[in-house]
Amino acid sequence: MRKAGAWLLVAALLTVFLIQPSGSGGQVQAASLSQIERDIAAANKQIKEAERTAANAAKDAKSAESQKQNLTVKKADLQNEILSLMKEIDRVAVEKQKTQEQVDAKEAELLQAGAALDAVQERIVKREALLESRMRVMYTDGFVSYMDVLFSSNSFGDFLDRFDAIQTILDSDRETLAAHKKDKETAEQQKALIEQQYADIQALFQELELQQVELVKKESEKEVLIASYNANLQQLDETLHQLEEISEEQEKLLMALAAKRSKLVAEKNRIQNPYSGGKLGMPIKQGYRVTSNFGTRVHPISGKKHTHTGIDFGAPSGTPIYAAEGGRVIISQVWSTYGNCIVIDHGNGLWTLYAHIRNGGLLVDEGDTVKKGDKIAEVGSTGNSTGPHLHFEVRKNEVPVNPGGYLK
């Protein structure tokens, strides 16, 4: 819509030029002074509208650039988070591998414990059979059988031998009962311990699996978010490109409107200030260096190639700026991406432009007549600027030309 409005204003401007009658010297001839004043008022209205459109585009561009920077920072943060997540996933995978090895080792230990338990169980079965046999003998014959064994001795020595044998049998039975009880308790404790350890390791492995699944899920979500950021960044780049085109169109439109107003003011005041040719004076006389020449370059802000329409002189803020030639001031105000700007009409289609003037540094007003070498402004860094400097342009019939051919 802004592009359409800009072209409509250009069309209206061309229409105004076409219906203006021409006279000698190429000056605009107005039907009457009142008509010229009405045309000047209309031109001023169109300039304000163009300035409003340019200001809105600049505001939108600033907002889009801020959003782009915020998204870029968020994207970088997300990428760092993803790297951290990937490291965490790798760590969990290593822990899972170690835990799996522990599970395998514990399973092998359980198999060994099972084999040992089987051996213990065999001993228990044999001891139970022995004890059962002993109990049957005792139940059948009773304690009397032991007494018979003792009293059927042939001598006292035989008695003692038989007594010791019976004592040994009784001690063996007691030891068998104690060993049987201990083996059962040890086997059960060993089995319970290994089963508990196995359960703990299995639980740890399952917990690590859940952690890995959750981490992978988070990584996937952040990848989706980064894809969304990339789409938004692409859209913002397109928006900034469109706004840049709007700004360029508005600059062309403002220059055309300024030309129209200048011709109308010249007609109204009937001022003749012809430029007879020759060299222009330097717009800045001390403490400067050329930081960018006329021609194609990479824009220091957008980073894209474009045509630099003037010469940049780097100088401290507040450095005096001088009129390169005598003429009439047709612009002295904030002017689109130029920031605070002055344009002087020297006649015969020759203009000079002085941009990025500091706030409070505009020392002449629109309509003022200046002489060559007059101090008209002070260096600043307003508008699209990365530091204090003077952007100086020479325009021939509103088209930027290389100032190098005009400067001494």
Side-chain angles (χ1 to χ4, degrees):
M1 291 177 66
R2 288 175 178 159
K3 289 183 180 180
W7 286 115
L8 286 173
L9 285 173
V10 172
L13 172 64
L14 293 175
T15 301
V16 171
F17 286 156
L18 288 174
I19 63 174
Q20 294 289 341
S22 59
S24 61
Q27 295 182 348
V28 177
Q29 300 295 324
S32 64
L33 182 60
S34 61
Q35 180 62 46
I36 292 175
E37 290 176 346
R38 284 195 297 270
D39 291 343
I40 291 174
N44 287 333
K45 183 178 180 180
Q46 290 174 334
I47 287 174
K48 288 182 179 180
E49 180 62 30
E51 288 174 345
R52 189 180 303 112
T53 301
N56 289 336
K59 181 179 179 181
D60 292 343
K62 184 176 180 180
S63 175
E65 187 63 38
S66 176
Q67 293 178 44
K68 180 180 177 181
Q69 291 176 358
N70 290 335
L71 279 178
T72 302
V73 170
K74 288 182 178 180
K75 178 182 174 182
D77 291 342
L78 270 181
Q79 288 173 331
N80 289 332
E81 289 179 20
I82 287 175
L83 289 176
S84 298
L85 281 173
M86 292 177 68
K87 291 180 181 178
E88 188 67 12
I89 290 171
D90 291 341
R91 184 192 67 78
V92 171
V94 171
E95 290 296 324
K96 273 184 64 181
Q97 180 63 31
K98 292 180 180 178
T99 305
Q100 183 62 54
E101 292 173 358
Q102 292 177 353
V103 170
D104 296 340
K106 192 57 65 175
E107 284 180 349
E109 191 175 343
L110 276 174
L111 290 175
Q112 293 177 357
L117 192 58
D118 290 341
V120 170
Q121 191 64 34
E122 288 180 6
R123 291 197 301 272
I124 289 173
V125 170
K126 290 179 180 179
R127 286 170 182 164
E128 286 180 346
L130 178 61
L131 290 173
E132 287 175 1
S133 174
R134 188 85 68 206
M135 291 299 292
R136 282 196 300 272
V137 171
M138 291 179 64
Y139 178 75
T140 302
D141 297 332
F143 184 71
V144 178
S145 61
Y146 288 106
M147 295 301 292
D148 289 341
V149 171
L150 290 174
F151 289 113
S152 62
S153 304
N154 297 324
S155 64
F156 183 70
D158 185 29
F159 175 83
L160 292 176
D161 290 339
R162 293 188 181 197
F163 181 79
D164 288 340
I166 292 173
Q167 186 66 38
T168 300
I169 292 171
L170 292 174
D171 289 342
S172 177
D173 288 344
R174 282 194 296 271
E175 290 176 359
T176 299
L177 286 171
H180 176 65
K181 182 179 180 181
K182 184 178 180 181
D183 282 348
K184 287 188 71 173
E185 290 177 353
T186 300
E188 290 173 355
Q189 290 174 359
Q190 184 71 11
K191 181 182 177 183
L193 176 62
I194 294 175
E195 286 178 346
Q196 182 60 48
Q197 291 175 346
Y198 184 76
D200 292 343
I201 295 173
Q202 285 280 33
L204 177 60
F205 185 81
Q206 291 174 0
E207 181 182 348
L208 289 171
E209 279 192 327
L210 291 175
Q211 287 183 20
Q212 189 176 38
V213 169
E214 184 64 22
L215 289 170
V216 170
K217 180 182 177 183
K218 287 182 179 179
E219 181 191 7
S220 177
E221 290 173 351
K222 292 185 184 298
E223 291 287 359
V224 170
L225 194 54
I226 279 189
S228 173
Y229 283 174
N230 285 335
N232 289 336
L233 285 170
Q234 183 178 358
Q235 184 176 1
L236 285 172
D237 282 335
E238 293 174 356
T239 299
L240 286 169
H241 180 67
Q242 293 172 357
L243 291 172
E244 185 178 349
E245 289 181 346
I246 291 173
S247 295
E248 291 176 356
E249 290 173 359
Q250 291 304 306
E251 288 177 8
K252 293 177 182 178
L253 177 61
L254 286 169
M255 287 299 173
L257 290 171
K260 171 186 177 181
R261 185 173 63 180
S262 176
K263 291 176 182 178
L264 290 170
V265 170
E267 177 64 18
K268 175 184 176 182
N269 295 285
R270 298 186 180 278
I271 294 176
Q272 293 183 348
N273 184 30
Y275 180 70
S276 58
K279 296 292 184 179
L280 299 176
M282 285 294 293
I284 186 169
K285 297 182 180 179
Q286 60 184 4
Y288 75 86
R289 60 188 178 88
V290 175
T291 58
S292 185
N293 283 304
F294 180 90
T296 301
R297 69 168 186 176
V298 175
H299 197 284
I301 296 178
S302 68
K304 299 178 180 178
K305 285 187 176 181
H306 81 129
T307 299
H308 187 227
T309 54
I311 295 178
D312 289 346
F313 298 96
S317 182
T319 300
I321 299 172
Y322 304 96
E325 183 56 81
R328 173 167 289 277
V329 178
I330 60 174
I331 293 173
S332 180
Q333 63 186 77
V334 177
W335 199 257
S336 187
T337 57
Y338 287 114
N340 294 326
C341 177
I342 290 175
V343 178
I344 301 176
D345 183 356
H346 305 290
N348 289 343
L350 187 72
W351 294 358
T352 53
L353 180 149
Y354 313 77
H356 307 306
I357 297 166
R358 73 176 182 86
N359 290 325
L362 296 171
L363 305 182
V364 293
D365 297 322
E366 294 176 9
D368 287 353
T369 299
V370 296
K371 294 182 295 182
K372 183 176 183 178
D374 284 352
K375 181 179 177 180
I376 58 172
E378 294 176 349
V379 169
S381 184
T382 55
N384 283 4
S385 171
T386 57
H389 72 286
L390 167 64
H391 174 83
F392 177 71
E393 289 186 15
V394 175
R395 296 199 172 211
K396 185 65 176 176
N397 297 324
E398 304 171 28
V399 178
V401 294
N402 191 346
Y406 290 83
L407 291 175
K408 291 183 179 179

